[in-house]
Amino acid sequence: TYKFFKQYTFMMKRIITDTKILSGKPVIKGTRISVEFILQLLNSGMNIEDIVKEYSHLEKEDILAVLDYATKITIHKAQ
């Protein structure tokens, strides 16, 4: 339970939703970069290091939070 809470807290510090930003799509906090966009970059073949290099204001932990968020959404929808 503690491990889940710790991971959830990590993700929620970095991924937010705000109706004033991209119509409420989940984004990386402090940016207008959506979870969906990062997933598309990864799907296109970019790796975490490529993304962080291209978008220097992002950190590796932001990309990991995107993956964590997407995983939790997928698991939740499957249940």
Side-chain angles (χ1 to χ4, degrees):
T1 306
Y2 174 75
K3 184 177 178 182
F4 172 80
F5 180 74
K6 187 176 177 184
Q7 287 176 334
Y8 180 78
T9 303
F10 166 77
M11 176 187 65
M12 294 310 292
K13 286 182 180 179
R14 294 188 176 263
I15 307 298
I16 63 163
T17 56
D18 182 337
T19 56
K20 297 175 190 167
I21 303 171
L22 295 180
S23 302
K25 286 185 176 185
V27 297
I28 297 172
K29 187 175 184 176
T31 75
R32 296 181 61 79
I33 298 177
S34 69
V35 166
E36 176 183 12
F37 179 69
I38 296 297
L39 292 173
Q40 289 172 340
L41 293 177
L42 291 166
N43 188 53
S44 75
M46 290 181 80
N47 61 38
I48 293 173
E49 291 78 20
D50 295 334
I51 296 169
V52 170
K53 187 175 180 180
E54 184 74 24
Y55 300 91
S56 58
H57 57 290
L58 297 180
E59 299 175 355
K60 177 181 178 180
E61 289 76 13
D62 294 320
I63 311 307
L64 295 175
V66 164
L67 293 171
D68 191 41
Y69 180 88
T71 299
K72 286 182 176 43
I73 292 297
T74 303
I75 289 169
H76 177 73
K77 289 191 180 219
Q79 293 178 347

